[in-house]
Amino acid sequence: MSDIVFSRRSGWIPNVIREDGELKLMLGAGADANHDPRTFTFPIGEAHLAVIQEDLARHLLLWSAVLPLCDAAGTRGRLDEDAAVALLDPILLSAPGDVDALFRRIPWDRGRLIAHGAGIDLLERGQVCAALRTATETSDGKRAQEYRANRRRAERGTVLGPLDAAILRYTGQYLHGSTIPRRTPDAVDPALLPEVVRVVATAEQACAGMRIGRDPRRGKRATDKRDWERMATAVETAVRRAHAQLADDAVRSVSFLMCSEAADRSRNAPMEDDEQAVGGRARKTALSFTDDKGAEKKWVQGGPRTAAAEFWEFVGDRSAGDNEVFTIEDKEMGEGVQLHFYADSIARVTTVREGTGGSEPEYRVEYSLVDGMGGYRKLVSTFALGGCAALDGHGSWMTDVAEFERARRRRAAE
């Protein structure tokens, strides 16, 4: 049976409890194997309780020093109570200079103190007691996040100017560079917002007319990596030319914003009608789509979607790491193409002689390398438009398998 003797307004700051007549400090830290929070306790004395009640700074410093011991306990281990108890007198009862000296020797949770208002410059100089003069019971987690973000940048040698920081706040990238970017003008100092908008306008002009297409090879909502890289390069080049003073983090953040918005537009739009882009609608009347797992889908002219759009929808639904070969076949004409996504290659197959009298039909198989998703789109649409013959002007077609493999190895080595 335990009773709370002392607690503060913030539920995470350790409480003092009385358990079976003994005073203990109780804190929650870490999680167990089921991701439930762990609770630790260790004994304290009446003198320690008096300081904890009267001195918020010492209370927070003790918490900061005990947290690494909780982390060391992991998901199942026991708290090293002897080590925790050994911290009590040096932190709660010693002179400020001795406390500062102690914190230069032991591990402690810096972010916890910063979240509770500690002065960052004083902490960095090792003056922990002075830093806690501005401490508050309430916690500001964002302050600690910003501190960690700045530390990571400093470790990389990155120094942000006011405009750099404003751009990162505008795109939501200030705390973590992998966060999906968005436009948040309210997060920017109004005095800097016009400059941020000018930088974003430069980026928008640089990628005007560019798009990031879908890449069904990697899933239904995946986008083309090459398109992304092309747009990112265009934006970063233009922004660096027009705003040479910007740090790389800010430039990449604006580029990330442009590419993410373009990718979202693509993901939320219907599958692109590539046949229109290569010169018309399919002259094929019926096609069969198959994958390497035996699935099949039929397309017949006259429906609401083009052959290419229907095929790429089929790929997006079915493509996987163990399913990277897809075929489009015109059975009536005896021709088709087989796409090998794992090798960035394609084969076109035409029937030279139909099988008669029990004999096997004779096929002509030609191979060609493909230049990314854009190349695949063009080839599929061209086949849907005019069959194998229409592919003559697209790619270098080889009938010799050994020659094709040499060409594939040469490209892989480039």
Side-chain angles (χ1 to χ4, degrees), residues 358-380:
S359 64
E360 294 292 327
E362 182 182 345
Y363 300 104
R364 177 181 176 84
V365 182
E366 300 165 282
Y367 302 91
S368 181
L369 299 174
V370 180
D371 186 17
M373 188 62 206
Y376 275 121
R377 285 191 179 282
K378 187 175 294 184
L379 290 167
V380 167

Side-chain angles (χ1 to χ4, degrees), residues 213-224 267 271 312-321 323 326 341 373 377:
R214 304 266 283 277
D215 188 349
R217 299 173 300 174
R218 300 190 295 115
K220 201 164 186 177
R221 288 176 56 79
T223 51
D224 192 335
R267 290 189 192 100
M271 192 64 74
W312 290 119
E313 189 76 22
F314 176 69
V315 171
D317 288 335
R318 300 284 304 169
S319 182
N323 194 24
F326 287 79
F341 294 146
M373 188 62 206
R377 285 191 179 282

Side-chain angles (χ1 to χ4, degrees), residues 316-370:
D317 288 335
R318 300 284 304 169
S319 182
D322 61 348
N323 194 24
E324 297 185 284
V325 178
F326 287 79
T327 300
I328 310 174
E329 186 177 2
D330 183 341
K331 294 183 179 179
E332 183 178 347
M333 295 297 294
E335 63 179 4
V337 289
Q338 188 175 71
L339 288 63
H340 314 123
F341 294 146
Y342 64 90
D344 283 335
S345 65
I346 188 171
R348 63 174 177 178
V349 183
T350 52
T351 303
V352 176
R353 179 179 56 80
E354 298 285 351
T356 57
S359 64
E360 294 292 327
E362 182 182 345
Y363 300 104
R364 177 181 176 84
V365 182
E366 300 165 282
Y367 302 91
S368 181
L369 299 174
V370 180

Side-chain angles (χ1 to χ4, degrees), residues 203-216 222-235 258-275 277-278 309 312 373-375 377-378 381:
E204 290 172 334
Q205 292 167 8
C207 61
M210 300 179 74
R211 58 186 288 275
I212 296 178
R214 304 266 283 277
D215 188 349
T223 51
D224 192 335
K225 182 179 178 182
R226 288 193 179 189
D227 285 351
W228 182 296
E229 291 172 346
R230 191 176 302 116
M231 181 178 289
T233 299
V235 170
M258 295 297 107
C259 292
S260 293
E261 290 180 342
D264 281 343
R265 289 192 293 270
S266 179
R267 290 189 192 100
N268 295 322
M271 192 64 74
E272 296 92 336
D273 186 355
D274 298 312
E275 289 163 34
V278 297
W312 290 119
M373 188 62 206
R377 285 191 179 282
K378 187 175 294 184
S381 297

Side-chain angles (χ1 to χ4, degrees), residues 151-411:
R151 281 288 294 268
R152 288 194 298 268
R153 280 189 280 265
E155 289 168 359
R156 292 189 281 111
T158 298
V159 178
L160 298 181
L163 180 57
D164 299 315
I167 289 170
L168 291 172
R169 293 185 191 281
Y170 179 88
T171 62
Q173 300 280 290
Y174 188 84
L175 296 181
H176 204 294
S178 64
T179 304
I180 296 174
R182 61 197 183 281
R183 300 187 188 218
T184 54
D186 291 345
V188 179
D189 180 342
L192 288 171
L193 186 57
E195 290 185 69
V196 173
V197 171
R198 279 194 289 274
V199 173
V200 173
T202 299
E204 290 172 334
Q205 292 167 8
C207 61
M210 300 179 74
R211 58 186 288 275
I212 296 178
R214 304 266 283 277
D215 188 349
R217 299 173 300 174
R218 300 190 295 115
K220 201 164 186 177
R221 288 176 56 79
T223 51
D224 192 335
K225 182 179 178 182
R226 288 193 179 189
D227 285 351
W228 182 296
E229 291 172 346
R230 191 176 302 116
M231 181 178 289
T233 299
V235 170
E236 290 177 19
T237 300
V239 171
R240 285 194 174 97
R241 184 183 301 121
H243 309 277
Q245 79 280 12
L246 290 179
D248 285 347
D249 282 25
V251 174
R252 284 193 294 265
S253 181
V254 175
S255 167
F256 193 10
L257 176 67
M258 295 297 107
C259 292
S260 293
E261 290 180 342
D264 281 343
R265 289 192 293 270
S266 179
R267 290 189 192 100
N268 295 322
M271 192 64 74
E272 296 92 336
D273 186 355
D274 298 312
E275 289 163 34
Q276 297 288 352
V278 297
R281 293 185 65 84
R283 289 198 290 269
K284 296 289 187 182
T285 57
L287 294 172
S288 174
F289 311 143
T290 58
D291 67 4
D292 216 20
K293 299 289 186 179
E296 183 173 7
K297 184 176 184 178
K298 303 285 187 181
W299 173 83
V300 179
Q301 194 179 64
R305 307 186 69 189
T306 65
E310 197 75 24
F311 171 72
W312 290 119
E313 189 76 22
F314 176 69
V315 171
D317 288 335
R318 300 284 304 169
S319 182
D322 61 348
N323 194 24
E324 297 185 284
V325 178
F326 287 79
T327 300
I328 310 174
E329 186 177 2
D330 183 341
K331 294 183 179 179
E332 183 178 347
M333 295 297 294
E335 63 179 4
V337 289
Q338 188 175 71
L339 288 63
H340 314 123
F341 294 146
Y342 64 90
D344 283 335
S345 65
I346 188 171
R348 63 174 177 178
V349 183
T350 52
T351 303
V352 176
R353 179 179 56 80
E354 298 285 351
T356 57
S359 64
E360 294 292 327
E362 182 182 345
Y363 300 104
R364 177 181 176 84
V365 182
E366 300 165 282
Y367 302 91
S368 181
L369 299 174
V370 180
D371 186 17
M373 188 62 206
Y376 275 121
R377 285 191 179 282
K378 187 175 294 184
L379 290 167
V380 167
S381 297
T382 300
F383 175 78
L385 188 66
C388 283
L391 296 173
D392 284 342
H394 299 273
S396 177
W397 298 93
M398 294 164 265
T399 56
D400 187 288
V401 175
E403 179 188 359
F404 170 71
E405 283 300 321
R406 286 193 295 272
R408 192 161 74 88
R409 286 196 293 272
R410 281 196 301 270
R411 183 178 64 178

Side-chain angles (χ1 to χ4, degrees), residues 28-47:
D32 61 19
N34 295 320
H35 306 290
D36 293 323
R38 297 198 70 190
T39 300
F40 300 93
T41 63
F42 61 94
I44 66 172
E46 293 288 349

Side-chain angles (χ1 to χ4, degrees), residues 1-255:
M1 184 70 180
S2 64
D3 298 310
I4 294 178
V5 175
F6 177 74
S7 65
R8 295 191 182 274
R9 282 178 297 182
S10 172
W12 284 104
I13 299 177
N15 296 327
V16 178
I17 64 171
R18 193 177 298 276
E19 188 174 63
D20 298 327
E22 184 180 22
L23 285 176
K24 292 185 177 182
L25 195 73
M26 180 177 71
L27 69 157
D32 61 19
N34 295 320
H35 306 290
D36 293 323
R38 297 198 70 190
T39 300
F40 300 93
T41 63
F42 61 94
I44 66 172
E46 293 288 349
H48 304 133
L49 171 60
V51 175
I52 288 171
Q53 289 174 318
E54 296 300 325
D55 195 332
L56 171 63
R58 298 288 181 123
H59 192 179
L60 293 173
L61 286 168
L62 177 62
W63 184 26
S64 172
V66 172
L67 282 171
L69 299 177
C70 298
D71 292 339
T75 60
R76 298 182 182 182
R78 295 173 59 86
L79 176 69
D80 186 344
E81 286 193 10
D82 292 340
V85 169
L87 293 169
L88 292 171
D89 286 356
I91 294 176
L92 298 179
L93 305 179
S94 298
D98 293 334
V99 176
D100 290 347
L102 173 68
F103 271 70
R104 287 193 286 271
R105 301 194 304 269
I106 64 171
W108 49 286
D109 191 320
R110 188 182 305 260
R112 196 75 57 171
L113 299 182
I114 290 171
H116 281 271
I120 293 174
D121 289 342
L122 289 169
L123 282 183
E124 296 287 1
R125 294 200 295 267
Q127 298 173 259
V128 294
C129 289
L132 268 293
R133 288 174 188 157
T134 55
T136 60
E137 285 195 24
T138 56
S139 174
D140 182 355
K142 187 175 180 182
R143 187 171 187 258
Q145 286 181 309
E146 290 190 356
Y147 171 77
R148 286 192 289 268
N150 287 329
R151 281 288 294 268
R152 288 194 298 268
R153 280 189 280 265
E155 289 168 359
R156 292 189 281 111
T158 298
V159 178
L160 298 181
L163 180 57
D164 299 315
I167 289 170
L168 291 172
R169 293 185 191 281
Y170 179 88
T171 62
Q173 300 280 290
Y174 188 84
L175 296 181
H176 204 294
S178 64
T179 304
I180 296 174
R182 61 197 183 281
R183 300 187 188 218
T184 54
D186 291 345
V188 179
D189 180 342
L192 288 171
L193 186 57
E195 290 185 69
V196 173
V197 171
R198 279 194 289 274
V199 173
V200 173
T202 299
E204 290 172 334
Q205 292 167 8
C207 61
M210 300 179 74
R211 58 186 288 275
I212 296 178
R214 304 266 283 277
D215 188 349
R217 299 173 300 174
R218 300 190 295 115
K220 201 164 186 177
R221 288 176 56 79
T223 51
D224 192 335
K225 182 179 178 182
R226 288 193 179 189
D227 285 351
W228 182 296
E229 291 172 346
R230 191 176 302 116
M231 181 178 289
T233 299
V235 170
E236 290 177 19
T237 300
V239 171
R240 285 194 174 97
R241 184 183 301 121
H243 309 277
Q245 79 280 12
L246 290 179
D248 285 347
D249 282 25
V251 174
R252 284 193 294 265
S253 181
V254 175
S255 167

